[in-house]
Amino acid sequence: MHGSATPMMAQYFALKEEAGDCLLFYRMGDFFELFFDDAKEAAQILDIALTSRGEHMGEPVPMCGVPVHSAEGYLARLIKAGCRVAIAEQVESPAEAKKRGGSKALVARDIVRFVTAGTLTEEALLEPRRANVLAAVCELRGSVGIASCDISTGRMELEECAADRLGAALARIGASEVVAPEGWDCAPEGAIPRPPSDFASDGGEERLKAVHGVATLDGFGTFSRAMLAAAGGLVAYLDHVGRGSLPLLLPPAALAVDAHLAMDEATRASLEILASSQGGRKGSLIDAIDRCVTGAGARQLADDLAAPLTDRSAIAQRLELVQWLHDDALLREDLRGVLRALPDIGRALGRVVAGRGSPRDLGQLRDGLSEARRIREYLQKRDDRPVLLDALMPSLGGHGALVDLFTRALVPAPPTERGQGGFIVEGYDAALDELRATSGNARRAIAALEAKYRDETGIAALKIKHNNVLGYFIEVPAKHGDKLMAPDSGFTHRQTMAGAVRFNALALHEEASRIAEAGGHALAAEEAHFEELVAAAVSARHAIAETAAALARIDVAGGQAERAAEGGWCRPAIVEEPSLAIEAGRHPVVEAALGGQGERFVANDCRLAPDDRLWLVGGPNMGGKSTFLRQNALIVLLAQAGGFVPAAAAEIGLVDRLFSRVGASDNLARGRSTFMVEMVETAAILAQASERSFVILDEVGRGTSTYDGLALAWAVVEAVHEVNRCRCLFATHYHELARLAESCEALSLHHVRAREWKGELVLLHELADGPADRSYGLAVARLAGVPQPVVARAKAVLDRLEKGRAETGGLAAGLGDLPLFAAAAEAEEEQCDSLRERLGELDVDALSPREALELLYELKREAGTDP
């Protein structure tokens, strides 16, 4: 690597240019090497030594390398750190290079694939219980098309949404990688830019037709232009990263906009559905309810929870299957026992179709499909099967010929590597058996030769060995070397070592040639059989994928039934009316955490109806308000996902959108304070909640001054009651809001109970009717360990404030004669002033944050409020 343009450097730079912003793994012998900035970045992430090699432009070239045989582990760490990697392999052997360009010719290299977070298929790089989704998004005539695909199993879904709903859709999908057209202003944060020409709807349609070998997509469903454009971008990106070879792609399914319970990003984070606020799975909803025994089942459960249904009959079918397995513990145990031993056939199929399959993957398909047939036969004996199970039954069979072929061809436990052969069973191919016999006989012949040479030379320590450089050779200790060096000994000297000398002999050379030839032919024969078996699996890919999906659905139902039996959960009744009746509801995550400490969860009822749809919940902090709010939202979500719920009884009116504004944290990365985040989320609720929605709001207005906060909370409660008219639980520490019960007929007052006992605060975690009798802030402060003198001082200040409130009517003085929300909105003042005009002329979207800040100062000065 000397000078500025050695052939190798020129080759490296050409490949690096092709790799773009990806790290380049450059194959050199048994290592993948990285150079320059790639080496510096990788060495830091992987914690490996950074060395240098030669010079370029007068500077040493930084480099680091990872062994090819253990590259997967290093790749996993790089992908986790947010890198993308281009793999440049040697695409010819050194012998071929020499033949092509003489002894100095450089071995040709080419990028064979890009490894990115959303395009992984390797078992070692994927989490078994989590789908790995790649999404493509683009805008077409005002609406956004989204194509998503888990290439490890091939499932592909297309949908369309309004531009302002893109965030919520992506939050539901949970993609590990998103691609979008280059230069699109509304592209999601962190999206990988791709040529806009990839996102043409007609091109997308043609690409999908080509992938599935059809003349029309009508058989798969009806797709909008925006959906097809996104699909075009997705397939083009997969084609790019696979360097022309596509992974397994199943026929696309079109998702209806209103087929799922809508939840925005903030709601998902607040309810901790798939990840806790700490970022991991532990402490999340799925962690508390996942009892699936297969990775595919756990991935399906995550999908169910991320996108609960809004179709009553589809929910009922899922619940019926859970009930059937819940009521028959022996059946459930048997079924789960068989499922537990199943390989992950969906992902094995993904690897096989992507051209990265191993004999072990084929063995997994054989075993998985064979067990699926056994499950089908077992279930066919039952005549009380639920509707959903009957619909799944055909998908569990139909692979008899394929299973039979794989059983006849493969050894019982095929290896993960195919390069060494040994995976085709004896008796499947007579010619292969003969080649193996020749090879085996030759090995026996070599053992006989070793014994013969020992006798002839009288050297008992003589051994015949093998390595990749010399092939077979004869080795004797150094002290016997001279004896074999004699010209008439029949041995040819090959190598002298520190303590041994190595030789060759004509008879050994002949036997070695026979072994190599027979072994080579045997490997070639096995490779040909492997390709045939792969082709058989590929041609049955759609049916195999259906079997994998059916097994996953059965596992989810079994897991839901197991969790319900374990926790005494009930089957919810799903109704059309906008009501919510939950008896003795519990929070699944909190209950599990308390159970681990040997404590009991206090269950609470919740009954919302059209004439009592807004509950105002007061009481002390830590009293259980947030838990009560969240548990009811989670019960709705679990029910519409098709599972039993942690309650004694539950009747749930179908919910179209679920909103949770509980426990905001400062989003400093995006320059938003807690209060700003709270207001943005509250604004979204007021704009989007319908009469069929369910909203939980916690402590709205606490992030600002007391008067501002109370005013905002008051106005929000009125708006939810009068305008949105949805079911809502509203937790607050403003006692003054209790006065709203006088003017809002569908609002009722409730509180979490607490008592002071001998100066100590006792939190009962029970919900009771009526307003909270008093605040317990000082008692909570004492409980939290605030020093006694501070608490005493606060008590003195509080006494003074309460005395003042009694004299003046307090915070809510003057609110009694306030007109209702709707009337106030109609009587909005019509005065016109310069500030109003200036604000009316503003294009807020066009302002940068700095310009907005400067404008605020200017308006403040103009209004004469600047000190």
Side-chain angles (χ1 to χ4, degrees), residues 90-175:
Q90 293 168 191
V91 290
E92 62 179 357
S93 68
E96 288 167 332
K98 200 176 282 185
K99 194 171 168 188
R100 172 176 55 77
S103 60
K104 292 255 168 75
L106 182 67
V107 175
R109 291 175 175 84
D110 194 11
I111 294 174
V112 293
R113 69 179 279 222
F114 291 87
V115 184
T116 72
T119 59
L120 303 172
T121 54
E122 287 83 351
E123 204 168 357
L125 305 187
L126 291 167
E127 288 181 42
R129 302 184 84 79
R130 194 171 153 219
N132 190 48
V133 180
L134 169 72
V137 295
C138 65
E139 192 171 11
L140 196 75
R141 291 196 285 278
S143 62
V144 175
I146 307 171
S148 59
C149 169
D150 179 351
I151 72 158
S152 67
T153 58
R155 195 188 65 176
M156 186 178 192
E157 290 176 339
L158 307 182
E159 59 188 290
E160 185 178 346
C161 68
D164 63 345
R165 300 284 167 90
L166 175 60
L170 287 177
R172 185 192 77 242
I173 292 164

Side-chain angles (χ1 to χ4, degrees), residues 629-825:
L629 264 60
R630 279 200 183 100
Q631 79 191 32
N632 288 298
L634 292 177
I635 285 171
V636 167
L637 186 150
L638 286 170
Q640 292 192 202
F644 279 32
V645 297
E651 183 183 280
I652 289 155
L654 273 176
V655 172
D656 65 349
R657 295 180 74 87
L658 184 61
F659 292 96
S660 166
R661 224 240 41 84
V662 180
S665 59
D666 284 12
N667 191 342
L668 298 177
R670 290 173 63 180
R672 289 174 169 178
S673 66
T674 307
F675 183 63
M676 181 62 176
V677 171
E678 179 184 314
M679 286 300 105
V680 167
E681 292 172 9
T682 305
I685 293 170
L686 296 175
Q688 297 170 15
S690 76
E691 288 191 14
R692 298 206 68 84
S693 302
F694 181 45
V695 175
I696 59 172
L697 285 158
D698 188 19
E699 305 281 19
V700 168
R702 66 177 158 188
T704 183
S705 75
T706 308
Y707 279 103
D708 277 4
L710 173 59
L712 279 164
W714 186 289
V716 168
V717 171
E718 283 192 339
V720 168
H721 182 275
E722 298 292 319
V723 181
N724 302 98
R725 305 181 73 79
C726 55
R727 285 159 286 176
C728 175
L729 299 176
F730 192 107
T732 183
H733 59 280
Y734 291 123
H735 299 299
E736 293 78 10
L737 291 182
R739 298 183 59 175
L740 279 164
E742 299 161 15
S743 54
C744 301
E745 77 288 345
L747 178 151
S748 59
L749 304 174
H750 307 265
H751 65 277
V752 286
R753 294 180 61 212
R755 287 284 173 271
E756 279 196 74
W757 173 254
K758 295 184 179 171
E760 293 298 311
L761 178 68
V762 181
L763 300 168
L764 303 174
H765 301 291
E766 281 174 22
L767 198 77
D769 292 345
D773 54 352
R774 50 171 290 204
S775 194
Y776 292 90
L778 299 189
V780 172
R782 192 182 305 121
L783 206 62
V786 172
Q788 179 54 38
V790 177
V791 177
R793 173 64 178 154
K795 177 83 174 74
V797 174
L798 178 66
D799 290 344
R800 180 69 57 89
L801 289 171
E802 285 185 334
K803 188 177 175 208
R805 181 166 67 179
E807 290 166 5
T808 63
L811 266 184
L815 289 183
D817 53 359
L818 191 69
L820 256 183
F821 182 86

Side-chain angles (χ1 to χ4, degrees), residues 148-309:
S148 59
C149 169
D150 179 351
I151 72 158
S152 67
T153 58
R155 195 188 65 176
M156 186 178 192
E157 290 176 339
L158 307 182
E159 59 188 290
E160 185 178 346
C161 68
D164 63 345
R165 300 284 167 90
L166 175 60
L170 287 177
R172 185 192 77 242
I173 292 164
S176 41
E177 187 175 12
V178 179
V179 294
E182 200 168 5
W184 180 32
D185 293 341
C186 303
E189 207 176 322
I192 290 151
R194 298 293 303 154
S197 56
D198 288 354
F199 294 85
S201 60
D202 48 355
E205 188 172 359
E206 292 312 312
R207 279 198 171 101
L208 286 177
K209 285 180 189 171
V211 166
H212 299 292
V214 293
T216 171
L217 298 176
D218 293 353
F220 303 147
T222 309
F223 307 105
S224 70
R225 303 314 296 174
M227 290 181 193
L228 294 171
L234 184 79
V235 178
Y237 183 66
L238 288 172
D239 195 44
H240 160 72
V241 296
R243 303 293 279 171
S245 74
L246 282 171
L248 167 63
L249 289 176
L250 298 174
L255 279 190
V257 180
D258 53 358
H260 300 291
L261 172 64
M263 293 179 279
D264 58 21
E265 214 170 341
T267 298
R268 288 172 192 280
S270 154
L271 294 178
E272 302 178 287
I273 301 168
L274 301 182
S276 73
S277 53
Q278 274 74 49
R281 196 174 195 264
K282 194 162 175 52
S284 67
L285 173 67
I286 192 167
D287 185 51
I289 71 160
D290 180 7
R291 297 294 181 270
C292 295
V293 291
T294 70
R299 296 195 298 271
Q300 182 61 60
L301 175 64
D303 282 352
D304 288 357
L305 295 178
L309 304 172

